[in-house]
């Protein structure tokens, strides 16, 4: 059921951004996110390729959907046994508030919800688990020509038994009527 929800959310973001493209600003971005995950005092660092689509209702407010696909794993030792941990995927929806600094530079804050699947494995055995919770963060984006730019951000993910600090850098491409 969770995979159906994630797929439906991704489809809704794509459909909404395509239908609103002539009315406001749609953005697509891709990049890398480093996650520092803490669970019961144990910390791991994993990485993901990040894809994001967003829509700005105005210069100050919008929403965005994000999909992270794990690409880097980490190993911890539990009872003298190495355990490989990795992020399979994470899907998030955020409301975004922007504070324009100039025409091509924005500071922003975002608040939303994340669902993720992580996997732990030892030789011959693997176990996957889902986690969901709120996420919030801040960042900045700078555009070279009003349409192409980059974005750097920090996001905190709060799950039931774990938390993750995520640092991202992404290329951003804006489309739409207001730029």
């Amino acid at each position: 059921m969770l995979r159906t929800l994630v797929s439906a959310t991704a489809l809704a973001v794509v459909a909404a951004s395509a239908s609103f493209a002539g009315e406001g600003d749609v953005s697509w971005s891709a990049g890398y996110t480093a996650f520092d995950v803490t669970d019961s005092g144990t910390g791991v660092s994993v990485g993901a390729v990040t894809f994001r689509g967003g829509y700005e209702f105005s210069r100050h407010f919008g929403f965005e959907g994000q999909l992270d696909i794990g690409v880097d794993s980490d190993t911890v030792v539990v009872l003298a046994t190495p355990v490989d941990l990795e992020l399979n995927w994470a899907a998030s929806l955020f409301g975004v508030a922007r504070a324009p600094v100039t025409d091509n530079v924005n500071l922003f804050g975002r608040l939303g919800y994340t669902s993720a699947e992580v996997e732990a494995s030892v030789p011959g055995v693997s176990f996957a688990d889902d986690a969901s919770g709120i996420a919030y963060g801040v960042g900045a984006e700078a555009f070279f020509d009003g349409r192409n730019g980059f974005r750097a951000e920090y996001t905190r993910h709060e799950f039931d038994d774990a938390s993750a600090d995520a640092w991202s850098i992404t290329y951003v491409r804006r489309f739409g009527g207001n730029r």
Side-chain angles (χ1 to χ4, degrees):
M1 178 159 145
L2 185 56
R3 289 186 192 269
T4 304
L5 177 62
V6 169
S7 298
T9 300
L11 184 59
V13 169
V14 170
S17 60
S19 67
F20 291 138
E23 299 174 18
D25 286 325
V26 174
S27 64
W28 293 100
S29 63
Y32 183 80
T33 300
F35 290 89
D36 291 325
V37 182
T38 304
D39 183 4
S40 303
T42 302
V44 297
S45 296
V46 296
V49 174
T50 298
F51 300 98
R52 184 180 302 114
Y55 177 74
E56 293 180 29
F57 297 105
S58 70
R59 182 105 166 100
H60 299 283
F61 297 104
F63 73 90
E64 56 192 28
Q66 179 174 312
L67 178 63
D68 298 294
I69 300 171
V71 293
D72 292 328
S73 62
D74 198 358
T75 302
V76 296
V77 177
V78 177
L79 300 173
T81 303
V83 179
D84 292 327
L85 299 169
E86 66 180 296
L87 171 71
N88 287 337
W89 57 265
S92 308
L93 285 175
F94 293 97
V96 182
R98 286 185 172 75
V101 177
T102 69
D103 284 344
N104 289 326
V105 176
N106 296 311
L107 301 177
F108 64 87
R110 63 189 199 151
L111 175 65
Y113 191 79
T114 298
S115 290
E117 181 182 270
V118 295
E119 185 173 331
S121 60
V122 295
V125 178
S126 67
F127 172 75
D129 192 20
D130 294 332
S132 298
I134 65 165
Y136 50 91
V138 295
E141 51 192 6
F143 293 88
F144 310 114
D145 59 6
R147 294 203 182 270
N148 297 290
F150 70 94
R151 170 177 167 151
E153 70 190 69
Y154 163 78
T155 303
R156 174 79 172 184
H157 301 268
E158 297 282 350
F159 303 110
D160 289 337
D161 298 326
S163 61
D165 294 312
W167 299 91
S168 300
I169 184 117
T170 56
Y171 164 78
V172 181
R173 171 70 178 164
R174 288 197 292 204
F175 304 88
N178 296 332
R179 305 273 178 229

